[in-house]
Amino acid sequence: MAMSIFSSVLLLLFLSCAIISTPVTSSKQDNDYLISSRIISHPAVEKQSHLRFYWHDIHSGPNPTNVRVAQAPETNKSSTFFGVVNIIDDPLTTGPDVNSKLVGRAQGIIAGAGLYKLEYLVAWNLVFNDGKYNGSTIAILGRSEVFTPVREMPIVGGSGLFRFARGYVLARTYSHDLVTRDAVVEYNVFVNHY
Ligand SMILES: *[C@@H]1O[C@H](CO)[C@@H](O)[C@H](O)[C@H]1NC(C)=O
Ligand SMILES: *[C@@H]1O[C@H](CO)[C@@H](O)[C@H](O)[C@H]1NC(C)=O
């Protein structure tokens, strides 16, 4: 009796495993471009990597890495740069010195999105060009209130070794020249990926 309950439980377990791992194939009525869709029964092991580097935002000199591409007619009257749109291609290095080892670049859009406070919309790809992450990217979409000590921005995706990435970045100003507006910011990136 005990034995048969045990074997029924085993059979049930076996059946449920079989159901979980069966691919769900599409029928002809489904989209022609859906090739397959299956339930992931055992999630792959996800890891969290912590990366640290320095972001160099250069406005001054002959080779700025941050350029203004557009602004609203009202932007000149705004103390918070509301309505300005800049494009960046900022170097990311291992140390706060811009001549320290280059590991990647932050490329994208930063837009003045605060009517009453100095707040920016940030939409960037962190593009790595060194070591095992060479060619992989992390996509950030977030808000930066530049004069707060720590700005947190969400990681919304990635490519290459950062495929399916999610997580967050913490940005802390290392130095900021109020005249030239050049800045160095320490980035701590906490990224979950496979
Ligand atoms: C805003 O100010 C800049 C610099 O003074 C000037 O070049 C630009 O034409 C102004 N833009 C508008 C829309 O008024
Ligand atoms: C990164 O990858 C590019 C393209 O494959 C290659 O040209 C470059 O040498 C690599 N850089 C490093 C530092 O490995």
Side-chain angles (χ1 to χ4, degrees), residues 71-73 76:
Q71 67 174 47
N76 276 2

Side-chain angles (χ1 to χ4, degrees), residues 146-158:
V146 290
F147 288 121
T148 56
V150 183
R151 285 84 68 192
E152 177 175 337
M153 291 175 272
I155 291 169
V156 296

Side-chain angles (χ1 to χ4, degrees), residues 68 71-77:
R68 185 175 296 197
Q71 67 174 47
E74 295 81 8
T75 300
N76 276 2
K77 286 177 273 164

